[in-house]
Amino acid sequence: MLADRIEAKWIDAFCEIFERCAVKSGDTAAILSETQSRALNVHLAELALLRMGARPFHVVMPTPRNRHIVPVRSTGASEAIQKLGPVISALQQAGFVVDCTIEGLMHAVETPEILKAGARILVISNEHPEALERMVPDTALEKRVRAAAKMLRGTKRMRVTSKAGTALDVDMVGASTVGVWGWTDKPGTLAHWPGGIVVSFPKSGTINGTLVMAPGDINLTFKRYLTSAVKMTLKDDYVVELEGEGTDVAMMRAYLAAWGDREAYAVSHVGFGMNPGARYEALSMYDQRDTNGTEIRAVSGNFLFSTGANEFAGRYTAGHFDLPMMGTTIELDGVAVVREGVLQDVFG
C-alpha cells in the first residue's frame, strides 16, 4: 500500500480551518483519534496547530471491537471514547477538540457532556486531505447555511417530489434543525469539515409518503451509486415497504433486516446540501477507504434523506443509511428551495 507524504498545502488548509475556529497562539487543543484513524490527518492537525503556536496534545483510543453482526459505516457516532471519564475530562478542559475518529463525535453519547463544559469540537471527516483542501469553507457559505437553517426552523411542512415518483410529506413542527458550514468558533458547539449541509430531525410520527431513489442516487453506507430504482413507502416515520429489482434493493433489504431492530427502518433526518464546491462525481474518484462521503452529503441541491437514530424522536439504533438523492424538488411551506436538483437563490 502506498503511503501519502505530508504536503505543505494540506497543512495550509488545516491552518485555514483552525483559524476560522478561532484558534490562537498559546491555545490548548486536544487531537482525538483512535488506532485505526487516518494517520495522515492526525499528523496534519498536529503540524497545523504547532505552526499556529497552539499547544496540542493527543488522546489516542484503541479502536473498539465491532459488536454488531454487520459492518458499521457513516453513523457519525464514534464509540472510541467508551465513556471513559479521564478522556471526557481531558476533552472538556482542552477548549478546542480536533476530532479525527473514524465515525466522528457528532452523535456520540459523550458529546453533550463535552460540549456542556464549553469545549468546541471540529469533526474532521475521515476523508483524504485532497478532498478537504478543495472544500475549505468561506463566509458566503456560512451565510447561506445560517439562512437555510433559520428557514427550516420556521417551517411547518416540507414537501419532497421528483419525476422518479417521490411524494414525501414531512410535518416540521417541533423539528430540531442543524446547519453546518464547516467550522465552529463558539464554546459548546460542534461542526464538521467539509461543511455545507442543513438537516432537520423531525418529531415522532411526522413523515409519510413515497420515496423513490433513481439510478444515480447514492447509498453512502455502501459508498455506491445506485444502478436501479428503489421505492420506499413510509408510514409514520417507518419504511414499511421496500420495492425494486436488482442488487441495490437486495443489499438494502439485507442490511436493514440484519439489525433485527425496527428502529433501523425509521427516519433519522431530512435536509439538503448547499456546498457549491462539493462534487457529485467525487465518490468515483477515491478508493473506498479514502472517503467517508461527507462531500457527497454536501453536494448543492441534493435531498439528504437518512434512516436510523433520531434522538429527538426518542429512537436509537446503530443501523444507519445516508441516501443523497438528486433531481428532487423540495418545498418549505410551498416555497421551492430546491427545484429538480438545483438549489434556488432564496438564501442570499
Side-chain angles (χ1 to χ4, degrees), residues 46-294:
E46 176 192 299
L47 292 172
L49 289 166
L50 288 172
R51 179 189 286 182
M52 297 172 67
R55 302 184 65 188
F57 65 93
H58 290 274
V59 178
V60 185
M61 298 297 298
T63 296
R65 181 175 179 175
N66 180 9
R67 300 290 179 179
H68 306 287
I69 64 171
V70 290
V72 178
R73 296 289 186 274
S74 301
T75 64
S78 174
E79 298 180 355
I81 295 177
Q82 297 285 286
K83 299 182 181 179
L84 280 175
V87 173
I88 296 171
S89 178
L91 299 179
Q92 288 174 327
Q93 296 177 61
F96 181 58
V97 178
V98 181
D99 174 18
C100 292
T101 59
I102 296 171
E103 291 294 339
L105 295 180
M106 179 163 286
H107 303 301
V109 296
E110 301 90 354
T111 298
E113 191 175 352
I114 297 168
L115 294 177
K116 189 176 180 180
R120 60 198 192 281
I121 300 173
L122 177 67
V123 179
I124 297 182
S125 185
N126 188 29
E127 315 285 345
H128 192 282
E130 179 191 272
L132 296 172
E133 71 166 300
R134 287 190 293 105
M135 286 180 288
V136 175
D138 58 24
T139 303
L141 180 61
E142 177 192 11
K143 181 181 178 181
R144 291 194 301 272
V145 173
R146 282 186 181 274
K150 182 179 180 180
M151 187 173 182
L152 277 168
R153 292 184 184 113
T155 295
K156 295 181 179 179
R157 191 159 300 274
M158 174 189 286
R159 181 77 173 166
V160 186
T161 56
S162 74
K163 291 181 178 179
T166 291
L168 194 68
D169 183 78
V170 184
D171 182 349
M172 294 287 288
V173 176
S176 180
T177 296
V178 178
V180 180
W181 46 86
W183 74 86
T184 173
D185 56 4
K186 294 182 179 179
T189 58
L190 176 148
H192 60 71
W193 176 33
I197 301 171
V198 60
V199 296
S200 296
F201 297 82
K203 293 286 189 179
S204 180
T206 56
I207 303 171
N208 292 277
T210 302
L211 190 72
V212 181
M213 297 187 68
D217 289 338
I218 303 166
N219 187 319
L220 279 179
T221 301
F222 297 155
K223 298 179 182 178
R224 173 185 174 95
Y225 296 96
L226 270 64
T227 58
S228 56
V230 175
K231 179 181 178 181
M232 288 173 267
T233 302
L234 291 105
K235 184 176 181 180
D236 296 334
D237 303 348
Y238 289 86
V239 177
V240 296
E241 195 168 4
L242 195 58
E243 302 173 82
E245 296 182 359
T247 302
D248 296 304
V249 71
M251 291 173 63
M252 290 180 71
R253 284 175 180 153
Y255 192 76
L256 286 169
W259 294 99
D261 183 359
R262 181 172 180 258
E263 305 306 334
Y265 291 82
V267 177
S268 175
H269 58 75
V270 293
F272 47 92
M274 302 186 69
N275 192 329
R279 300 297 307 177
Y280 162 78
E281 70 276 10
L283 195 64
S284 67
M285 308 298 285
Y286 298 96
D287 292 337
Q288 285 205 346
R289 286 178 61 90
D290 280 342
T291 180
N292 195 42
T294 304

